[in-house]
Amino acid sequence: MLEPETLKTILPPTVYTSVICNLDEAQLQEIRVRAGMPVCVTYRGREYCLTRGGVSDDPSLALFATAEDVKGIVVAASEHSVYAYNDDINRGFITVSGGVRIGVCGETVYDRGSLVTVKNYSSVNIRIPHEITGCSSNIMSDIVANHCKALIVSPPGAGKTTMLRDIARSLSDDSPHFNVLIADERCELACVSGGVPGMNVGMRTDVISGSTKAHAFECAVRSMRPDVIITDEIFGQADIEIIREAIGCGISVIASAHADGPETLMRRRFIREAAEERLFERYYFLSGDFGDGHIAAVCDAGLTPADV
Amino acid sequence: MAAGLLLRKRKEYFEELDNLLVRFSSNLVYAMETVPTVLGNYKSKSALLGRQIAAVVGNIRGEDNKLPSGFLSRAEYAFVSDLLSSLGTYNAVGERGAAEAGRLRLGDFKTAAQTRYNGLGKSSAKLGFLFGLLLAILCL
């Protein structure tokens, strides 16, 4: 979980002091630091400007960040070793201990069509993850009964990643104790830093971080013998093909996708094809109102409403 | 003799600092270990450099240490301070360039320290030894 020391080493002193003295860390989702702009926070589900005394809707009261502040955050997050985190920065984020993920924006430098580095950092988004242990408890028996082939669906920010994380933990630690592999392409599920997961994803869970889904699935099938692979945000036909291959090898897959309901989901061709092939036995739709994994609807393999 | 010892310590310090930069540059090509790891693993023969490395590593971890200056001149201290505190603030290509530039500048200080030691330091050490030998003979 997040240690106060993590924020202290990353944030400019005035920002850190305001956050620690005025805000409840358990209610803090994001800290956005942009060069030449007010510092903003997402706190209790809403965006505010960060002031010396807390939060406000008035930008004139806000703490302002400089380009040096933004660079300082990137340098500090990379353990004062930007060169060692160049690949992470090129991917757009650095993950630090406690599962804190820092998105980085700046000027990209290309050489012969390949991204070489990012320079002149302009903004960072410090995302603070929160575990909600047990948020999947209402659907776990249904997931297991349906062979752990499920798709978690919601609009952005409704808790898909939080739900997947808890599903991994529960499949691993609760009976019947599955071997789980997390294909953590953007290091958001397990938040591994220095080889150690920052989130509780279960004692029988292996994590492949920062890799493409194709590579992670291939490693899983060839050498890790998982019972279930969990991955976040499937996007297109290529992802469905990878999942199809894994299921064909006898491995169940639980994934997530963006949509705000069954109708919107079915507009995506790769989902229609997946539904026709019954790749997923269950679709769990999260409500966008709560952001904590509230289940709004459950559908069966044919995307018709199901009783849970 | 004390002067000779000081000059030898200065020579040793700049040699060790150069070795550290060589080690760091090599790390940029192969292991890509972080700055705290590279500095923490470096065992310096120079006590002053060892204390400075400890201060830098502490600062990276959030402490607020001032780099000890020891026997360094103001110009030397400014250079070393800037060099050690800016480690790790560039990507790999920029870091290699910065390390090379640092070694070039360091070469001037290192050469000056070596020259002073060769000129005065060795002689002082020999004189000190002879003085000690004379004292021993007189006591006998």
Side-chain angles (χ1 to χ4, degrees):
Chain A
M1 284 302 295
L2 178 67
E3 305 282 346
E5 286 305 306
T6 302
L7 286 182
K8 188 179 179 186
T9 56
I10 295 169
L11 292 173
T14 49
V15 174
Y16 172 73
T17 302
S18 177
V19 167
I20 286 299
C21 294
N22 301 309
L23 305 185
D24 177 7
E25 173 255 314
Q27 308 277 352
L28 181 62
Q29 285 91 43
E30 290 179 347
I31 304 170
R32 290 180 178 264
V33 183
R34 300 178 176 98
M37 295 293 172
V39 177
C40 296
V41 295
T42 302
Y43 185 61
R44 291 179 177 155
R46 235 196 86 192
E47 190 172 85
Y48 297 94
C49 296
L50 184 70
T51 69
R52 282 191 196 280
V55 295
S56 170
D57 289 320
D58 185 357
S60 67
L61 301 175
L63 296 170
F64 268 69
T66 64
E68 278 304 309
D69 289 331
V70 177
K71 183 179 178 182
I73 291 171
V74 176
V75 171
S78 64
E79 299 180 79
H80 233 269
S81 312
V82 172
Y83 60 87
Y85 283 75
N86 203 58
D87 287 346
D88 298 60
I89 294 170
N90 285 355
R91 277 202 301 263
F93 60 88
I94 300 172
T95 304
V96 300
S97 67
V100 177
R101 214 168 78 113
I102 301 171
V104 179
C105 288
E107 293 177 28
T108 52
V109 178
Y110 278 79
D111 182 25
R112 281 169 263 196
S114 295
L115 178 62
V116 174
T117 192
V118 178
K119 65 177 184 179
N120 297 338
Y121 311 114
S122 55
S123 63
V124 292
N125 178 15
I126 302 167
R127 299 182 68 180
I128 296 161
H130 297 284
E131 287 178 298
I132 305 179
T133 303
C135 66
S136 66
S137 57
N138 287 346
I139 58 172
M140 280 315 299
S141 56
D142 190 55
I143 286 176
V144 174
N146 285 279
H147 312 294
C148 299
K149 293 176 186 172
L151 191 66
I152 313 295
V153 185
S154 84
K160 291 188 297 299
T161 303
T162 306
M163 179 66 76
L164 282 177
R165 192 180 290 137
D166 195 59
I167 290 171
R169 180 201 58 76
S170 183
L171 287 174
S172 159
D173 292 353
D174 300 335
S175 179
H177 303 305
F178 292 98
N179 273 324
V180 178
L181 186 135
I182 293 178
D184 202 356
E185 192 168 16
R186 294 176 314 162
C187 306
E188 282 187 309
L189 280 163
C191 303
V192 171
S193 176
V196 180
M199 299 284 126
N200 181 7
V201 290
M203 59 183 277
R204 294 177 182 79
T205 300
D206 303 302
V207 183
I208 298 179
S209 295
S211 155
T212 61
K213 287 188 178 65
H215 173 81
F217 274 60
E218 185 179 337
C219 288
V221 169
R222 284 179 192 270
S223 56
M224 296 308 295
R225 199 188 63 78
D227 299 311
V228 184
I229 296 177
I230 290 179
T231 189
D232 210 354
E233 297 206 18
I234 59 171
F235 190 72
Q237 194 59 41
D239 288 345
I240 288 295
E241 182 60 37
I242 292 163
I243 290 170
R244 186 184 292 121
E245 287 295 315
I247 291 174
C249 295
I251 301 170
S252 297
V253 177
I254 301 174
S256 69
H258 281 308
D260 56 18
E263 295 78 22
T264 323
L265 187 67
M266 282 299 274
R267 284 193 207 130
R268 303 169 81 176
R269 194 172 76 177
F270 71 94
I271 292 291
R272 284 203 306 275
E273 290 176 9
E276 284 164 14
E277 291 178 47
R278 303 178 78 88
L279 284 183
F280 299 109
E281 299 275 355
R282 275 290 194 261
Y283 294 81
Y284 299 97
F285 293 85
L286 306 185
S287 166
D289 297 330
F290 298 95
D292 61 355
H294 179 81
I295 305 284
V298 181
C299 291
D300 64 15
L303 274 162
T304 52
D307 290 326
V308 177
Chain B
M1 188 164 171
L5 196 60
L6 175 62
L7 291 174
R8 196 178 75 194
K9 279 184 179 176
R10 283 178 54 82
K11 178 178 97 70
E12 189 176 71
Y13 171 85
F14 288 112
E15 283 172 354
E16 282 289 292
L17 184 55
D18 192 47
N19 285 341
L20 174 62
L21 287 182
V22 168
R23 182 84 58 91
F24 184 69
S25 294
S26 171
N27 170 69
L28 294 173
V29 176
Y30 299 109
M32 288 275 193
E33 301 277 13
T34 62
V35 168
T37 301
V38 174
L39 294 183
N41 287 341
Y42 187 78
K43 302 293 175 235
S44 173
K45 291 176 201 162
S46 164
L48 175 60
L49 183 59
R51 292 199 304 275
Q52 289 175 334
I53 285 171
V56 168
V57 172
N59 287 344
I60 289 172
R61 294 192 176 130
E63 296 166 18
D64 187 17
N65 302 313
K66 191 174 181 311
L67 250 65
S69 55
F71 44 67
L72 298 177
S73 69
R74 193 175 291 182
E76 289 164 351
Y77 180 72
F79 165 73
V80 170
S81 246
D82 190 54
L83 179 76
L84 292 179
S85 64
S86 65
L87 287 177
T89 56
Y90 305 106
N91 63 15
V93 172
E95 206 63 45
R96 276 195 287 274
E100 278 170 28
R103 285 196 69 208
L104 274 174
R105 181 78 181 99
L106 177 63
D108 296 338
F109 293 123
K110 187 175 153 193
T111 304
Q114 178 76 41
T115 305
R116 282 211 74 193
Y117 175 71
N118 288 345
L120 295 175
K122 281 183 185 170
S123 308
S124 299
K126 284 176 188 167
L127 277 173
F129 174 76
L130 286 173
F131 179 75
L133 190 60
L134 183 64
L135 205 60
I137 292 169
L138 287 174
C139 290
L140 289 171

